[in-house]
Amino acid sequence: MRKGEQFAGVSVAMVTPFTADEQLDIEGLDRLVDWHVEQGTKTLVPVGTTGESPTLDHDEHRRVIERVAAHAAGRIQVMAGTGSNSTREAIELTRFAKEVGVDGALMVAPYYNKPTQEGFLRHFATVADAVEIPIVLYNIPGRTGANMLPKTINLLGEHPNIVAVKEATGSMDQACEILTGSQLTVLSGDDSLTLPLMAMGASGVVSVVANIVPKQLLELTDAMAKGDLAKARAVHNRLFALCKDMLTLATNPIPIKGAMKLLGTSNGVLRLPMTPLGDDGYQQLRKTLEGCEIL
């Protein structure tokens, strides 16, 4: 059995709801938590990239983690985003998350300052030494500017507190090197690649589209876990156009907040520098949602 299997299945990379004047919408956050509990989502992941963490100040970041943890109240797992390009700040955020009762921490690779592989090793090991909590590594070089190589990830996997990796490089070879070289649970970081990654041995997904279709994502991951490839493939094919729209229409989380606005589950408010979809983007998204029989 792999480490980190408690996070198998569907984790939702939660959006952060804002009011019309771009303040945190705490009541909206509560509604999202309640809805995901009803839908059967396995784990909530607040204040990741989809949660617009770069535009939240430190106090807001902590408020979102604390509120989600409190409102989840043991009904659903919480894997809080606590990553930073400052190791000291990552330790502080991860300690706070543990104090308020989350089940794990999702830690993005340090961004912008582009550490060496030795820097990645020391960064994550230092946090894991400082805070006894299950840590999920998040490798997304398209956002951070540097790739954490499989050898580095596999070495980090030897630490007892590092249990899984959210794999968002888009490389099947990289994912396979982790699956064959460590006991870490691998979670897809790209909705469109969940099925192929699970076919290789991954255990689930940290999903953007699960903000609107968590039950369908659960169908896919449950089917793959049971070896029912035909059922999983049917769900994958049904949702593929939507997954691609989330990646290609605009930078995440612009498309998912646009989809939630069309579905009436969000006002779609983003904080600068994120800007809403234009008319063409909304038309394409509406067409895709209708084609997937969601709208």
Side-chain angles (χ1 to χ4, degrees):
M1 182 174 176
R2 290 186 174 273
K3 300 164 65 179
E5 281 292 326
Q6 68 267 40
F7 300 121
V10 176
S11 301
V12 59
M14 293 180 70
V15 300
T16 298
F18 299 120
T19 61
D21 60 351
E22 297 186 17
Q23 301 303 305
L24 286 181
D25 181 359
I26 297 300
E27 291 182 358
L29 198 61
D30 289 348
R31 286 194 295 271
L32 288 178
V33 172
D34 290 337
W35 186 74
H36 280 291
V37 171
E38 293 168 3
Q39 295 294 305
T41 302
K42 182 74 176 292
T43 305
L44 297 173
V45 186
V47 282
T49 309
T50 307
E52 296 176 76
S53 56
T55 66
L56 301 185
D57 64 34
H58 292 176
D59 178 63
E60 289 174 323
H61 195 125
R62 287 170 170 80
R63 284 178 63 201
V64 172
I65 293 174
E66 186 171 24
R67 186 67 178 202
V68 172
H71 200 63
R75 297 179 297 157
I76 187 171
Q77 292 188 131
V78 178
M79 181 202 305
T82 65
S84 173
N85 58 353
S86 161
T87 305
R88 293 183 180 187
E89 183 177 296
I91 290 171
E92 291 174 3
L93 281 172
T94 307
R95 279 179 175 156
F96 176 82
K98 181 183 178 181
E99 288 169 4
V100 299
V102 305
D103 301 281
L106 179 70
M107 296 192 60
V108 69
Y111 39 86
Y112 189 75
N113 43 16
K114 297 178 69 171
T116 63
Q117 297 304 305
E118 176 68 16
F120 284 129
L121 274 170
R122 292 177 61 182
H123 170 80
F124 285 108
T126 299
V127 180
D129 285 342
V131 191
E132 190 172 348
I133 190 173
I135 290 173
V136 179
L137 308 175
Y138 180 16
N139 192 29
I140 182 166
R143 288 271 195 169
T144 63
N147 184 24
M148 187 159 48
L149 298 177
K151 181 179 179 181
T152 303
I153 292 170
N154 293 345
L155 284 170
L156 286 167
E158 296 174 7
H159 196 292
N161 292 337
I162 297 175
V163 301
V165 57
K166 178 182 176 184
E167 166 52 41
T169 65
S171 168
M172 296 295 104
D173 285 351
Q174 174 137 338
C176 195
E177 285 188 59
I178 299 166
L179 286 161
T180 57
S182 76
Q183 289 303 306
L184 290 170
T185 285
V186 174
L187 303 171
S188 175
D190 294 300
D191 281 297
S192 61
L193 297 181
T194 302
L195 186 148
L197 282 172
M198 289 191 75
M200 294 196 306
S203 300
V205 59
V206 180
S207 170
V208 174
V209 297
N211 278 282
I212 57 175
V213 287
K215 283 187 175 181
Q216 294 190 45
L217 265 294
L218 282 163
E219 281 185 61
L220 191 158
T221 57
D222 287 350
M224 286 301 293
K226 294 173 184 175
D228 189 346
L229 181 59
K231 182 176 181 179
R233 187 184 291 134
V235 179
H236 170 84
N237 290 341
R238 187 164 71 243
L239 296 179
F240 183 72
L242 179 61
C243 295
K244 292 300 290 182
D245 275 0
M246 294 302 106
L247 289 174
T248 60
L249 284 181
T251 306
N252 180 45
I254 294 171
I256 192 62
K257 278 203 165 177
M260 293 174 76
K261 182 177 181 179
L262 288 173
L263 293 167
T265 58
S266 168
N267 59 11
V269 173
L270 299 132
R271 277 186 176 174
L272 287 172
M274 298 289 102
T275 55
L277 288 171
D279 290 342
D280 289 346
Y282 269 114
Q283 288 178 14
Q284 172 60 46
L285 193 52
R286 179 181 290 277
K287 180 181 177 181
T288 299
L289 290 168
E290 290 173 346
C292 294
E293 299 182 353
I294 297 166
L295 183 63

